[in-house]
Amino acid sequence: MSQKQTKFLIGANVHMAAPGMFPGAVAEAVNYGATSLQFYLGAPQNTRRKPVAELAVPAGLAAMQTAGLSHLVIHAPYIVNLGNTKKPESFGFAVQFMREEIARADALQAYAMPFHPGAHVGAGPEAAIAQIANGLNQILTAETQVSLALETMAGKGTEIGRSFEELAAIIARLDHPEKVGVTLDTCHLNDAGYPVATHFDDVLEEFDRVIGLAKLRVVHLNDSKNPQGSHKDRHANLGAGSIGFDALNAIAHHPQLTQIPKILETPYVGPDKTHMVPPYGVEINWLRSGDYRPEELTALAN
């Protein structure tokens, strides 16, 4: 088996911003001991973006190669809602923005783009699923390189993606289904009602039956502050939530997920909101060693 197949694919959501840009994001991931990384191309709450020429793409790709990082994941902003049929005037803008965001991801040679499918805002899941598929059919082309990875959602409000069946229904309507995969978020799955903590193999088997493991692109590895089925979507640090470290560590090292990047999106820690630091170096070390030491996160927070 090759080194590429056996490398532990673990990463975290890092910053890609001035002055470091893409190389700075790589340096942050390396500092955590990561082998993969994820970032947004701008603030996820808005659509303001810098030109690709200002992102230092060649230097970033070179830095990834030098450090042995792979599977660059670029998260789509969650402000885009293709499922909102009640505001048709915003649909065209959302489609055009996502076309441009995918073009930027392709310029960075990204592997996958996790994407929150959207919300039906009262019109019902069927209407939203049809419109999401319609939007994706206008966004994706035969030339698209990055895999758009529909994300499993917690079921908060009127979110689409609270079940594997909803994601499968979107994929079934696509003109280019080969350009679309899925992101499994462990917190979202737990909050949607799937028994992530106790029967993950059964969850994976169900995913394979409904969607197919070949469609899995990314795992967002997060604990949950709320119990299974709560539909809340509040991430917790590894071991500090209802899923627990042992279950998450088993997922990180699951034999069927060795070629899937696992990305941490766990909360920053600190004594107050103005003095927060990322936990990723500590948590990645726990996953590498299997040695869960919560006191290390407490020390980091203080």
Side-chain angles (χ1 to χ4, degrees), residues 76-141:
Y78 40 74
I79 194 173
V80 172
N81 182 10
L82 291 179
N84 187 352
T85 61
K86 293 192 171 185
K87 290 184 66 177
E89 66 275 11
S90 64
F91 181 73
F93 173 81
V95 166
Q96 183 57 34
F97 175 76
M98 282 304 300
R99 284 176 180 158
E100 295 168 0
E101 195 80 335
I102 283 175
R104 285 184 281 267
D106 281 349
L108 273 70
Q109 301 180 27
Y111 153 76
M113 176 177 278
F115 178 72
H116 294 188
H120 65 72
V121 297
E126 284 301 318
I129 287 169
Q131 179 162 283
I132 292 166
N134 178 31
L136 294 179
N137 283 335
Q138 296 181 47
I139 292 164
L140 301 168
T141 71

Short mmCIF file of all heavy atoms in Angstrom, two decimals, residues 76-141:
data_model
loop_
_atom_site.label_atom_id
_atom_site.label_comp_id
_atom_site.label_asym_id
_atom_site.label_seq_id
_atom_site.Cartn_x
_atom_site.Cartn_y
_atom_site.Cartn_z
N ALA A 76 -17.72 26.53 0.89
CA ALA A 76 -18.58 27.56 0.31
C ALA A 76 -19.19 28.40 1.43
O ALA A 76 -19.43 27.90 2.53
CB ALA A 76 -19.69 26.91 -0.51
N PRO A 77 -19.46 29.68 1.19
CA PRO A 77 -20.10 30.50 2.22
C PRO A 77 -21.51 30.02 2.49
O PRO A 77 -22.20 29.55 1.58
CB PRO A 77 -20.10 31.90 1.60
CG PRO A 77 -20.10 31.65 0.13
CD PRO A 77 -19.28 30.41 -0.07
N TYR A 78 -21.95 30.13 3.73
CA TYR A 78 -23.29 29.63 4.03
C TYR A 78 -24.36 30.71 3.91
O TYR A 78 -25.51 30.47 4.24
CB TYR A 78 -23.35 28.96 5.41
CG TYR A 78 -22.58 29.63 6.53
CD1 TYR A 78 -23.04 30.80 7.12
CD2 TYR A 78 -21.39 29.07 7.00
CE1 TYR A 78 -22.35 31.40 8.15
CE2 TYR A 78 -20.69 29.67 8.04
CZ TYR A 78 -21.17 30.83 8.61
OH TYR A 78 -20.48 31.43 9.63
N ILE A 79 -23.99 31.86 3.39
CA ILE A 79 -24.98 32.90 3.14
C ILE A 79 -25.83 32.56 1.92
O ILE A 79 -26.95 33.05 1.75
CB ILE A 79 -24.30 34.28 2.97
CG1 ILE A 79 -25.35 35.39 3.05
CG2 ILE A 79 -23.51 34.35 1.68
CD1 ILE A 79 -24.76 36.78 3.06
N VAL A 80 -25.31 31.72 1.02
CA VAL A 80 -26.02 31.36 -0.20
C VAL A 80 -27.14 30.38 0.13
O VAL A 80 -26.91 29.36 0.80
CB VAL A 80 -25.06 30.73 -1.23
CG1 VAL A 80 -25.82 30.19 -2.42
CG2 VAL A 80 -24.03 31.76 -1.67
N ASN A 81 -28.36 30.65 -0.31
CA ASN A 81 -29.49 29.75 -0.08
C ASN A 81 -30.21 29.49 -1.41
O ASN A 81 -31.12 30.23 -1.79
CB ASN A 81 -30.46 30.32 0.95
CG ASN A 81 -31.63 29.38 1.24
OD1 ASN A 81 -31.63 28.23 0.81
ND2 ASN A 81 -32.62 29.87 1.95
N LEU A 82 -29.79 28.43 -2.08
CA LEU A 82 -30.43 28.08 -3.34
C LEU A 82 -31.84 27.53 -3.13
O LEU A 82 -32.62 27.44 -4.08
CB LEU A 82 -29.59 27.02 -4.08
CG LEU A 82 -28.24 27.45 -4.63
CD1 LEU A 82 -27.55 26.27 -5.29
CD2 LEU A 82 -28.38 28.59 -5.62
N GLY A 83 -32.18 27.17 -1.89
CA GLY A 83 -33.47 26.55 -1.64
C GLY A 83 -34.61 27.51 -1.38
O GLY A 83 -35.76 27.08 -1.22
N ASN A 84 -34.34 28.80 -1.35
CA ASN A 84 -35.37 29.79 -1.00
C ASN A 84 -36.20 30.14 -2.24
O ASN A 84 -35.80 30.97 -3.06
CB ASN A 84 -34.71 31.04 -0.42
CG ASN A 84 -35.72 32.04 0.11
OD1 ASN A 84 -36.92 31.89 -0.07
ND2 ASN A 84 -35.21 33.07 0.78
N THR A 85 -37.37 29.51 -2.36
CA THR A 85 -38.25 29.81 -3.48
C THR A 85 -39.12 31.04 -3.23
O THR A 85 -39.80 31.51 -4.15
CB THR A 85 -39.18 28.60 -3.76
OG1 THR A 85 -39.99 28.35 -2.60
CG2 THR A 85 -38.38 27.36 -4.10
N LYS A 86 -39.08 31.56 -2.01
CA LYS A 86 -39.92 32.71 -1.67
C LYS A 86 -39.26 34.05 -2.04
O LYS A 86 -39.91 35.09 -1.99
CB LYS A 86 -40.26 32.69 -0.18
CG LYS A 86 -41.16 31.51 0.19
CD LYS A 86 -41.72 31.65 1.59
CE LYS A 86 -42.78 30.61 1.86
NZ LYS A 86 -43.44 30.79 3.18
N LYS A 87 -37.96 34.00 -2.37
CA LYS A 87 -37.26 35.21 -2.82
C LYS A 87 -36.60 34.92 -4.17
O LYS A 87 -35.39 34.82 -4.26
CB LYS A 87 -36.22 35.64 -1.79
CG LYS A 87 -36.81 36.19 -0.49
CD LYS A 87 -35.71 36.68 0.44
CE LYS A 87 -35.00 37.88 -0.12
NZ LYS A 87 -33.96 38.43 0.80
N PRO A 88 -37.40 34.77 -5.21
CA PRO A 88 -36.83 34.43 -6.52
C PRO A 88 -35.84 35.46 -7.04
O PRO A 88 -34.97 35.14 -7.85
CB PRO A 88 -38.06 34.33 -7.43
CG PRO A 88 -39.13 35.11 -6.73
CD PRO A 88 -38.86 34.93 -5.26
N GLU A 89 -35.95 36.69 -6.53
CA GLU A 89 -35.04 37.74 -7.01
C GLU A 89 -33.59 37.50 -6.58
O GLU A 89 -32.66 38.05 -7.19
CB GLU A 89 -35.51 39.11 -6.51
CG GLU A 89 -35.43 39.32 -5.00
CD GLU A 89 -36.63 38.82 -4.24
OE1 GLU A 89 -37.48 38.10 -4.84
OE2 GLU A 89 -36.75 39.12 -3.04
N SER A 90 -33.36 36.68 -5.55
CA SER A 90 -31.99 36.43 -5.09
C SER A 90 -31.38 35.18 -5.70
O SER A 90 -30.19 34.93 -5.55
CB SER A 90 -31.98 36.29 -3.56
OG SER A 90 -32.72 35.15 -3.15
N PHE A 91 -32.18 34.41 -6.42
CA PHE A 91 -31.71 33.13 -6.97
C PHE A 91 -30.61 33.34 -8.01
O PHE A 91 -29.57 32.68 -7.98
CB PHE A 91 -32.88 32.36 -7.57
CG PHE A 91 -32.51 31.02 -8.14
CD1 PHE A 91 -32.19 29.95 -7.32
CD2 PHE A 91 -32.49 30.83 -9.51
CE1 PHE A 91 -31.86 28.71 -7.84
CE2 PHE A 91 -32.15 29.60 -10.06
CZ PHE A 91 -31.85 28.54 -9.22
N GLY A 92 -30.82 34.26 -8.93
CA GLY A 92 -29.84 34.51 -9.98
C GLY A 92 -28.50 34.96 -9.43
O GLY A 92 -27.44 34.51 -9.91
N PHE A 93 -28.54 35.82 -8.41
CA PHE A 93 -27.29 36.27 -7.79
C PHE A 93 -26.57 35.10 -7.13
O PHE A 93 -25.35 34.97 -7.25
CB PHE A 93 -27.57 37.35 -6.75
CG PHE A 93 -26.35 37.74 -5.96
CD1 PHE A 93 -25.43 38.63 -6.48
CD2 PHE A 93 -26.10 37.19 -4.71
CE1 PHE A 93 -24.28 38.98 -5.77
CE2 PHE A 93 -24.97 37.52 -3.99
CZ PHE A 93 -24.06 38.42 -4.51
N ALA A 94 -27.32 34.23 -6.45
CA ALA A 94 -26.70 33.08 -5.77
C ALA A 94 -26.05 32.15 -6.77
O ALA A 94 -24.93 31.65 -6.54
CB ALA A 94 -27.75 32.34 -4.95
N VAL A 95 -26.71 31.91 -7.89
CA VAL A 95 -26.16 31.05 -8.93
C VAL A 95 -24.87 31.65 -9.49
O VAL A 95 -23.84 30.97 -9.63
CB VAL A 95 -27.19 30.82 -10.06
CG1 VAL A 95 -26.52 30.23 -11.30
CG2 VAL A 95 -28.31 29.91 -9.57
N GLN A 96 -24.90 32.94 -9.81
CA GLN A 96 -23.71 33.58 -10.38
C GLN A 96 -22.57 33.60 -9.39
O GLN A 96 -21.40 33.35 -9.76
CB GLN A 96 -24.04 35.00 -10.83
CG GLN A 96 -22.89 35.73 -11.51
CD GLN A 96 -22.33 34.99 -12.72
OE1 GLN A 96 -23.08 34.33 -13.45
NE2 GLN A 96 -21.03 35.09 -12.93
N PHE A 97 -22.86 33.90 -8.11
CA PHE A 97 -21.79 33.92 -7.12
C PHE A 97 -21.15 32.54 -6.98
O PHE A 97 -19.92 32.42 -6.89
CB PHE A 97 -22.30 34.38 -5.76
CG PHE A 97 -21.25 34.30 -4.69
CD1 PHE A 97 -20.23 35.24 -4.63
CD2 PHE A 97 -21.23 33.24 -3.79
CE1 PHE A 97 -19.23 35.14 -3.66
CE2 PHE A 97 -20.24 33.13 -2.84
CZ PHE A 97 -19.24 34.09 -2.77
N MET A 98 -21.97 31.49 -6.94
CA MET A 98 -21.41 30.15 -6.79
C MET A 98 -20.61 29.72 -8.02
O MET A 98 -19.62 29.00 -7.90
CB MET A 98 -22.52 29.14 -6.49
CG MET A 98 -22.99 29.16 -5.05
SD MET A 98 -21.63 28.88 -3.85
CE MET A 98 -21.06 27.26 -4.37
N ARG A 99 -21.02 30.16 -9.20
CA ARG A 99 -20.19 29.91 -10.39
C ARG A 99 -18.80 30.51 -10.20
O ARG A 99 -17.78 29.87 -10.50
CB ARG A 99 -20.84 30.54 -11.63
CG ARG A 99 -22.03 29.79 -12.20
CD ARG A 99 -22.62 30.59 -13.35
NE ARG A 99 -23.77 29.95 -13.97
CZ ARG A 99 -24.69 30.60 -14.67
NH1 ARG A 99 -24.60 31.92 -14.81
NH2 ARG A 99 -25.70 29.94 -15.20
N GLU A 100 -18.77 31.75 -9.70
CA GLU A 100 -17.49 32.43 -9.50
C GLU A 100 -16.70 31.79 -8.38
O GLU A 100 -15.47 31.68 -8.45
CB GLU A 100 -17.75 33.91 -9.21
CG GLU A 100 -18.38 34.65 -10.39
CD GLU A 100 -18.90 36.02 -10.01
OE1 GLU A 100 -18.78 36.41 -8.82
OE2 GLU A 100 -19.44 36.72 -10.90
N GLU A 101 -17.37 31.35 -7.32
CA GLU A 101 -16.68 30.72 -6.20
C GLU A 101 -16.05 29.39 -6.62
O GLU A 101 -14.93 29.07 -6.23
CB GLU A 101 -17.65 30.51 -5.02
CG GLU A 101 -16.98 30.20 -3.71
CD GLU A 101 -16.42 31.42 -2.98
OE1 GLU A 101 -16.11 32.43 -3.66
OE2 GLU A 101 -16.30 31.35 -1.75
N ILE A 102 -16.76 28.64 -7.43
CA ILE A 102 -16.22 27.39 -7.94
C ILE A 102 -15.04 27.65 -8.87
O ILE A 102 -14.04 26.91 -8.84
CB ILE A 102 -17.33 26.57 -8.63
CG1 ILE A 102 -18.21 25.92 -7.55
CG2 ILE A 102 -16.77 25.52 -9.58
CD1 ILE A 102 -19.40 25.18 -8.08
N ALA A 103 -15.12 28.70 -9.69
CA ALA A 103 -13.99 29.06 -10.56
C ALA A 103 -12.76 29.40 -9.72
O ALA A 103 -11.63 29.02 -10.07
CB ALA A 103 -14.36 30.22 -11.47
N ARG A 104 -12.97 30.09 -8.59
CA ARG A 104 -11.85 30.41 -7.70
C ARG A 104 -11.29 29.12 -7.08
O ARG A 104 -10.07 28.95 -6.97
CB ARG A 104 -12.30 31.39 -6.62
CG ARG A 104 -12.48 32.82 -7.10
CD ARG A 104 -12.84 33.78 -5.96
NE ARG A 104 -14.25 33.70 -5.59
CZ ARG A 104 -15.19 34.49 -6.08
NH1 ARG A 104 -14.90 35.41 -6.99
NH2 ARG A 104 -16.45 34.36 -5.68
N ALA A 105 -12.16 28.23 -6.65
CA ALA A 105 -11.70 26.97 -6.07
C ALA A 105 -10.92 26.15 -7.09
O ALA A 105 -9.89 25.55 -6.76
CB ALA A 105 -12.90 26.16 -5.56
N ASP A 106 -11.37 26.15 -8.33
CA ASP A 106 -10.65 25.43 -9.38
C ASP A 106 -9.28 26.06 -9.63
O ASP A 106 -8.29 25.36 -9.88
CB ASP A 106 -11.46 25.43 -10.68
CG ASP A 106 -12.57 24.38 -10.67
OD1 ASP A 106 -12.59 23.53 -9.76
OD2 ASP A 106 -13.43 24.42 -11.58
N ALA A 107 -9.19 27.40 -9.54
CA ALA A 107 -7.90 28.07 -9.71
C ALA A 107 -6.92 27.68 -8.61
O ALA A 107 -5.70 27.67 -8.82
CB ALA A 107 -8.11 29.58 -9.72
N LEU A 108 -7.43 27.35 -7.41
CA LEU A 108 -6.59 26.92 -6.30
C LEU A 108 -6.37 25.40 -6.30
O LEU A 108 -5.76 24.86 -5.39
CB LEU A 108 -7.19 27.34 -4.97
CG LEU A 108 -6.81 28.74 -4.47
CD1 LEU A 108 -7.45 29.84 -5.30
CD2 LEU A 108 -7.18 28.93 -3.00
N GLN A 109 -6.90 24.73 -7.33
CA GLN A 109 -6.78 23.28 -7.46
C GLN A 109 -7.36 22.55 -6.25
O GLN A 109 -6.81 21.57 -5.76
CB GLN A 109 -5.32 22.87 -7.71
CG GLN A 109 -4.72 23.48 -8.96
CD GLN A 109 -3.27 23.08 -9.20
OE1 GLN A 109 -2.82 22.02 -8.77
NE2 GLN A 109 -2.53 23.95 -9.89
N ALA A 110 -8.49 23.05 -5.76
CA ALA A 110 -9.12 22.47 -4.59
C ALA A 110 -9.67 21.08 -4.89
O ALA A 110 -10.11 20.79 -6.00
CB ALA A 110 -10.24 23.37 -4.09
N TYR A 111 -9.68 20.27 -3.87
CA TYR A 111 -10.18 18.89 -3.97
C TYR A 111 -11.71 18.85 -3.81
O TYR A 111 -12.40 18.18 -4.57
CB TYR A 111 -9.49 18.05 -2.89
CG TYR A 111 -10.25 16.85 -2.38
CD1 TYR A 111 -10.35 15.69 -3.15
CD2 TYR A 111 -10.87 16.86 -1.13
CE1 TYR A 111 -11.04 14.58 -2.68
CE2 TYR A 111 -11.56 15.75 -0.66
CZ TYR A 111 -11.64 14.62 -1.44
OH TYR A 111 -12.32 13.52 -0.98
N ALA A 112 -12.25 19.57 -2.83
CA ALA A 112 -13.68 19.52 -2.57
C ALA A 112 -14.16 20.84 -1.99
O ALA A 112 -13.38 21.59 -1.39
CB ALA A 112 -14.03 18.38 -1.62
N MET A 113 -15.47 21.10 -2.16
CA MET A 113 -16.08 22.31 -1.63
C MET A 113 -17.35 21.94 -0.85
O MET A 113 -18.42 21.75 -1.43
CB MET A 113 -16.43 23.29 -2.75
CG MET A 113 -17.17 24.53 -2.26
SD MET A 113 -17.50 25.74 -3.58
CE MET A 113 -15.92 26.58 -3.64
N PRO A 114 -17.27 21.80 0.48
CA PRO A 114 -18.47 21.59 1.28
C PRO A 114 -19.46 22.74 1.05
O PRO A 114 -19.08 23.91 0.99
CB PRO A 114 -17.95 21.59 2.72
CG PRO A 114 -16.53 21.14 2.60
CD PRO A 114 -16.04 21.75 1.32
N PHE A 115 -20.75 22.37 0.93
CA PHE A 115 -21.77 23.34 0.57
C PHE A 115 -23.05 23.04 1.34
O PHE A 115 -23.58 21.94 1.26
CB PHE A 115 -22.03 23.25 -0.95
CG PHE A 115 -23.11 24.16 -1.46
CD1 PHE A 115 -22.90 25.52 -1.54
CD2 PHE A 115 -24.32 23.65 -1.90
CE1 PHE A 115 -23.89 26.37 -2.02
CE2 PHE A 115 -25.32 24.48 -2.39
CZ PHE A 115 -25.10 25.85 -2.45
N HIS A 116 -23.52 24.02 2.13
CA HIS A 116 -24.79 23.88 2.81
C HIS A 116 -25.90 24.01 1.77
O HIS A 116 -26.01 25.06 1.12
CB HIS A 116 -24.95 24.95 3.89
CG HIS A 116 -23.97 24.82 5.01
ND1 HIS A 116 -24.05 25.59 6.15
CD2 HIS A 116 -22.91 23.99 5.20
CE1 HIS A 116 -23.07 25.26 6.99
NE2 HIS A 116 -22.36 24.29 6.42
N PRO A 117 -26.74 22.98 1.62
CA PRO A 117 -27.70 22.99 0.50
C PRO A 117 -28.66 24.16 0.52
O PRO A 117 -29.03 24.68 -0.54
CB PRO A 117 -28.46 21.67 0.68
CG PRO A 117 -27.52 20.79 1.44
CD PRO A 117 -26.77 21.71 2.35
N GLY A 118 -29.09 24.60 1.71
CA GLY A 118 -30.03 25.71 1.79
C GLY A 118 -31.20 25.38 2.70
O GLY A 118 -31.20 24.37 3.40
N ALA A 119 -32.21 26.23 2.69
CA ALA A 119 -33.38 26.06 3.54
C ALA A 119 -34.62 26.41 2.74
O ALA A 119 -34.60 27.28 1.86
CB ALA A 119 -33.28 26.95 4.77
N HIS A 120 -35.75 25.75 3.06
CA HIS A 120 -36.96 25.98 2.28
C HIS A 120 -37.80 27.15 2.80
O HIS A 120 -38.74 27.57 2.12
CB HIS A 120 -37.80 24.70 2.20
CG HIS A 120 -38.37 24.22 3.50
ND1 HIS A 120 -39.41 24.85 4.16
CD2 HIS A 120 -38.07 23.13 4.26
CE1 HIS A 120 -39.72 24.19 5.24
NE2 HIS A 120 -38.92 23.13 5.35
N VAL A 121 -37.45 27.70 3.95
CA VAL A 121 -38.10 28.88 4.55
C VAL A 121 -39.62 28.82 4.50
O VAL A 121 -40.29 29.85 4.28
CB VAL A 121 -37.56 30.22 3.96
CG1 VAL A 121 -36.09 30.39 4.25
CG2 VAL A 121 -37.80 30.30 2.45
N GLY A 122 -40.16 27.63 4.67
CA GLY A 122 -41.61 27.49 4.76
C GLY A 122 -42.30 26.93 3.53
O GLY A 122 -43.46 26.55 3.60
N ALA A 123 -41.61 26.87 2.41
CA ALA A 123 -42.23 26.38 1.18
C ALA A 123 -42.27 24.86 1.10
O ALA A 123 -42.95 24.31 0.23
CB ALA A 123 -41.49 26.93 -0.04
N GLY A 124 -41.53 24.20 1.99
CA GLY A 124 -41.51 22.74 2.00
C GLY A 124 -40.27 22.16 1.34
O GLY A 124 -39.71 22.77 0.41
N PRO A 125 -39.82 21.00 1.81
CA PRO A 125 -38.59 20.40 1.28
C PRO A 125 -38.61 20.12 -0.21
O PRO A 125 -37.60 20.33 -0.89
CB PRO A 125 -38.47 19.09 2.08
CG PRO A 125 -39.23 19.34 3.35
CD PRO A 125 -40.36 20.23 2.95
N GLU A 126 -39.74 19.65 -0.75
CA GLU A 126 -39.77 19.29 -2.16
C GLU A 126 -39.49 20.49 -3.06
O GLU A 126 -38.75 20.39 -4.05
CB GLU A 126 -41.12 18.65 -2.52
CG GLU A 126 -41.25 17.22 -2.04
CD GLU A 126 -40.18 16.31 -2.61
OE1 GLU A 126 -39.86 16.43 -3.80
OE2 GLU A 126 -39.64 15.49 -1.83
N ALA A 127 -40.09 21.62 -2.74
CA ALA A 127 -39.87 22.83 -3.54
C ALA A 127 -38.41 23.25 -3.48
O ALA A 127 -37.81 23.62 -4.50
CB ALA A 127 -40.76 23.97 -3.04
N ALA A 128 -37.82 23.19 -2.29
CA ALA A 128 -36.43 23.59 -2.12
C ALA A 128 -35.49 22.63 -2.83
O ALA A 128 -34.54 23.07 -3.50
CB ALA A 128 -36.09 23.67 -0.64
N ILE A 129 -35.73 21.34 -2.70
CA ILE A 129 -34.87 20.34 -3.36
C ILE A 129 -34.87 20.54 -4.86
O ILE A 129 -33.82 20.51 -5.51
CB ILE A 129 -35.33 18.92 -2.97
CG1 ILE A 129 -34.94 18.62 -1.52
CG2 ILE A 129 -34.75 17.88 -3.91
CD1 ILE A 129 -35.56 17.37 -0.93
N ALA A 130 -36.03 20.78 -5.43
CA ALA A 130 -36.12 21.01 -6.87
C ALA A 130 -35.34 22.26 -7.27
O ALA A 130 -34.64 22.27 -8.30
CB ALA A 130 -37.58 21.13 -7.30
N GLN A 131 -35.46 23.33 -6.48
CA GLN A 131 -34.76 24.57 -6.85
C GLN A 131 -33.26 24.45 -6.63
O GLN A 131 -32.47 25.00 -7.40
CB GLN A 131 -35.32 25.76 -6.08
CG GLN A 131 -34.60 27.06 -6.43
CD GLN A 131 -35.36 28.29 -6.06
OE1 GLN A 131 -36.31 28.67 -6.75
NE2 GLN A 131 -34.95 28.92 -4.97
N ILE A 132 -32.84 23.77 -5.56
CA ILE A 132 -31.40 23.56 -5.33
C ILE A 132 -30.80 22.82 -6.52
O ILE A 132 -29.74 23.19 -7.03
CB ILE A 132 -31.17 22.79 -4.02
CG1 ILE A 132 -31.55 23.66 -2.82
CG2 ILE A 132 -29.71 22.35 -3.90
CD1 ILE A 132 -31.67 22.88 -1.52
N ALA A 133 -31.48 21.76 -6.95
CA ALA A 133 -30.99 21.00 -8.10
C ALA A 133 -30.95 21.87 -9.35
O ALA A 133 -29.99 21.82 -10.14
CB ALA A 133 -31.87 19.78 -8.33
N ASN A 134 -31.97 22.69 -9.55
CA ASN A 134 -32.00 23.61 -10.68
C ASN A 134 -30.82 24.57 -10.64
O ASN A 134 -30.15 24.82 -11.65
CB ASN A 134 -33.32 24.39 -10.67
CG ASN A 134 -33.41 25.42 -11.79
OD1 ASN A 134 -32.86 25.23 -12.87
ND2 ASN A 134 -34.11 26.52 -11.53
N GLY A 135 -30.55 25.10 -9.45
CA GLY A 135 -29.41 26.00 -9.31
C GLY A 135 -28.10 25.31 -9.60
O GLY A 135 -27.24 25.85 -10.32
N LEU A 136 -27.91 24.12 -9.05
CA LEU A 136 -26.67 23.38 -9.29
C LEU A 136 -26.50 23.02 -10.77
O LEU A 136 -25.39 22.98 -11.28
CB LEU A 136 -26.62 22.13 -8.42
CG LEU A 136 -26.52 22.39 -6.91
CD1 LEU A 136 -26.51 21.07 -6.14
CD2 LEU A 136 -25.29 23.21 -6.56
N ASN A 137 -27.62 22.77 -11.44
CA ASN A 137 -27.53 22.48 -12.88
C ASN A 137 -27.10 23.70 -13.68
O ASN A 137 -26.55 23.56 -14.77
CB ASN A 137 -28.88 21.96 -13.39
CG ASN A 137 -29.12 20.52 -13.00
OD1 ASN A 137 -28.17 19.76 -12.77
ND2 ASN A 137 -30.38 20.12 -12.91
N GLN A 138 -27.33 24.90 -13.14
CA GLN A 138 -26.84 26.11 -13.80
C GLN A 138 -25.41 26.45 -13.40
O GLN A 138 -24.72 27.18 -14.10
CB GLN A 138 -27.76 27.28 -13.45
CG GLN A 138 -29.18 27.14 -13.96
CD GLN A 138 -30.05 28.34 -13.61
OE1 GLN A 138 -29.63 29.49 -13.80
NE2 GLN A 138 -31.25 28.09 -13.11
N ILE A 139 -24.98 25.93 -12.25
CA ILE A 139 -23.66 26.25 -11.71
C ILE A 139 -22.58 25.29 -12.22
O ILE A 139 -21.49 25.71 -12.61
CB ILE A 139 -23.71 26.21 -10.16
CG1 ILE A 139 -24.58 27.36 -9.63
CG2 ILE A 139 -22.31 26.26 -9.56
CD1 ILE A 139 -25.00 27.18 -8.18
N LEU A 140 -22.89 24.01 -12.21
CA LEU A 140 -21.90 22.98 -12.53
C LEU A 140 -21.89 22.69 -14.03
O LEU A 140 -22.93 22.63 -14.67
CB LEU A 140 -22.21 21.70 -11.76
CG LEU A 140 -22.23 21.83 -10.24
CD1 LEU A 140 -22.83 20.58 -9.60
CD2 LEU A 140 -20.83 22.09 -9.70
N THR A 141 -20.68 22.48 -14.56
CA THR A 141 -20.51 22.15 -15.96
C THR A 141 -19.59 20.94 -16.09
O THR A 141 -19.00 20.49 -15.11
CB THR A 141 -19.90 23.32 -16.75
OG1 THR A 141 -18.52 23.46 -16.38
CG2 THR A 141 -20.64 24.63 -16.47
#
